[in-house]
Amino acid sequence: MDLLRWWRYLWAFGIEWDRATREDARDFMLWMKLGDKPVRVHWRHRGKDPGEISRLSRPRRPAPGTPNPVTGKPTVGRKYAPKTRAHCETVLRSFYDFHLDRNSGSLLVNPFPLVRGRRSARANAHHNPEDEHEEQRTGLYRPKIPKQVPRRIPEDKFTEVFARLRSHRDRALLAFWVATGARAEELLTATQGGAIVGQQTIGVTRKGTREYQELPATPDAFVWLRLYQEEAWKKGVPRGRRQPLWWTLRRPWRPLEYDAARMMFNRANDLLGANWTLHDLRHTASFMMLDDPDMPPVYVQHILGHKHLTTLDIYNRPGRDDVIAAGLAHHARVEQRRKTQPVRRDPQYNPESLNVLFGGGA
């Protein structure tokens, strides 16, 4: 999609891909910052009047780019997000680096260059192993990405989302995502033989390393899993230790994929007017494990599959709900102290001492 967006920009100006200059790349990144994203009309509304489409749209959804009233997370806006622009710059810079090394086309320079200080050396070339790595800018036209605090799903809201699910399969999936902290696509790689009830673990294939790892889960997750399996096997879902664990709910039976799981979770979100994502379930599991004082962080790192322990630092930042709850608790304590403490009166001078000092009285 990043390359297609760049090709369409070049086609609009009649520029060949191997004739693009750095000015063209700069203007392209500025256009992504200022221009609106193209709106794709749903196939149900194709050929209809735009006014009719707006009337048929869901009134409960907030305006694009505004915070969601339930979760507080910003909704998808009309502009390209900084992460999208940064990803596009990285893809295009790597694409032109590849063709420069291959000497293909009529390229002389990379239209998406590195910053001047990085063009002759790699990042942190003279790094001291005892110090932490410093964040260094890479692309000349790469935007700055604001740091975002991971959000957890509150327990009461999670219960509401869980109650809105339609099948035992969806409930088992949600229970395992919160219990194991696995990524959404990692849990979908589990097989029927990988779910070991006696050991209370489930085996998944890690996203980056493609290694097999067993993750601990809760007894409730296995209860929902058993209910789903009994129901699915009666309908004719393939059974076997090497068969996938998660299947579609209707014939023809197919292994459940990420897009179908995401749409399942989005349907439950729409009923509540929320915009949580499947990755927020992983953040929720991380917060729950780190909140346990008896759970060493190094074990949490291994369960989450992080390469470095410092990655867990993002969960030490207070979230929006935590800050609001702490502030309200502070105001409640102050108000309670005001009610319980006795009222202090201003000190007064002794009248006899005033008479001696100023000669008053008899």
Side-chain angles (χ1 to χ4, degrees):
M1 296 302 297
D2 295 326
L3 289 173
L4 180 60
R5 192 181 299 116
W6 172 242
W7 297 145
R8 288 175 174 173
Y9 180 85
L10 295 178
W11 291 336
F13 292 96
I15 304 173
E16 298 292 337
W17 72 273
D18 56 349
R19 297 286 184 177
T21 62
R22 291 181 177 177
E23 288 75 14
D24 298 328
R26 178 200 60 194
D27 295 342
F28 171 72
M29 297 305 299
L30 290 175
W31 168 79
M32 285 193 65
K33 182 179 180 180
L34 302 176
D36 292 340
K37 294 184 295 186
V39 179
R40 178 180 297 179
V41 180
H42 196 273
W43 63 269
R44 292 191 179 95
H45 304 319
R46 290 176 184 173
K48 297 182 181 179
D49 184 70
E52 185 181 357
I53 296 176
S54 61
R55 290 193 301 270
L56 294 176
S57 60
R58 299 179 183 178
R60 292 182 59 187
R61 289 188 175 181
T66 58
N68 185 278
V70 178
T71 64
K73 297 176 57 177
T75 56
V76 179
R78 293 188 175 93
K79 306 292 184 180
Y80 289 102
K83 286 185 177 181
T84 303
R85 293 186 279 121
H87 186 270
C88 184
E89 189 271 343
T90 302
V91 170
L92 296 177
R93 175 161 40 85
S94 303
F95 172 80
Y96 279 102
D97 280 340
F98 172 80
H99 285 283
L100 279 174
D101 294 337
R102 293 287 228 168
N103 198 21
S104 57
S106 304
L107 290 171
L108 298 178
V109 294
N110 191 334
F112 297 87
L114 295 170
V115 294
R116 188 175 299 275
R118 286 282 312 277
R119 296 176 192 174
S120 59
R122 61 178 175 84
N124 296 301
H126 304 285
H127 171 69
N128 186 353
E130 297 181 357
D131 300 334
E132 295 184 358
H133 286 272
E134 298 180 359
E135 295 183 359
Q136 296 187 3
R137 188 181 176 189
T138 54
L140 182 62
Y141 305 130
R142 183 182 179 86
K144 293 183 179 180
I145 302 177
K147 294 183 178 180
Q148 297 181 352
V149 179
R151 294 182 181 271
R152 70 164 71 183
I153 303 179
E155 186 175 356
D156 56 340
K157 296 297 181 181
F158 177 80
T159 304
E160 294 183 20
V161 175
F162 195 85
R164 300 291 180 135
L165 299 178
R166 302 177 180 178
S167 65
H168 293 321
R169 182 205 64 182
D170 300 343
R171 299 184 186 98
L173 275 170
L174 218 66
F176 273 107
W177 272 323
V178 172
T180 62
R183 297 176 180 89
E185 61 270 24
E186 291 177 347
L187 185 61
L188 298 179
T189 63
T191 60
Q192 297 181 18
I196 306 175
V197 183
Q199 299 181 5
Q200 206 170 313
T201 59
I202 184 171
V204 299
T205 303
R206 283 303 184 182
K207 178 181 178 182
T209 60
R210 310 307 301 174
E211 295 180 354
Y212 182 82
Q213 181 178 351
E214 295 181 351
L215 300 177
T218 59
D220 293 341
F222 285 96
V223 171
W224 290 113
L225 176 62
R226 188 60 179 178
L227 293 174
Y228 154 64
Q229 285 181 323
E230 290 293 336
E231 184 180 40
W233 288 337
K234 291 180 181 179
K235 295 180 180 180
V237 170
R239 184 171 182 175
R241 293 184 55 84
R242 297 185 179 181
Q243 292 288 346
L245 182 60
W246 312 105
W247 293 82
T248 56
L249 298 178
R250 298 176 181 87
R251 295 179 183 271
W253 307 118
R254 298 184 304 273
L256 186 66
E257 297 182 353
Y258 173 79
D259 289 334
R262 177 178 57 85
M263 292 303 297
M264 171 271 296
F265 190 68
N266 288 344
R267 284 192 295 269
N269 268 332
D270 291 339
L271 295 175
L272 298 177
N275 64 341
W276 283 300
T277 63
L278 290 178
H279 202 70
D280 290 333
L281 299 173
R282 175 175 168 87
H283 292 322
T284 303
S286 304
F287 277 112
M288 293 173 59
M289 287 185 285
L290 290 174
D291 288 344
D292 185 2
D294 297 330
M295 185 69 171
V298 65
Y299 293 165
V300 180
Q301 172 199 355
H302 183 72
I303 292 175
L304 297 179
H306 288 168
K307 184 177 181 181
H308 301 288
L309 186 61
T310 54
T311 312
L312 300 179
D313 292 342
I314 61 175
Y315 299 106
N316 294 328
R317 305 171 188 170
R320 180 186 68 97
D321 298 333
D322 298 333
V323 172
I324 293 177
L328 294 177
H330 163 72
H331 294 313
R333 290 193 298 269
V334 172
E335 187 66 22
Q336 185 66 22
R337 285 197 296 266
R338 289 176 181 175
K339 294 179 179 180
T340 56
Q341 291 180 354
V343 180
R344 295 183 302 176
R345 298 180 179 179
D346 297 333
Q348 298 180 355
Y349 287 102
N350 190 348
E352 297 179 357
S353 301
L354 293 176
N355 293 335
V356 174
L357 180 63
F358 296 105

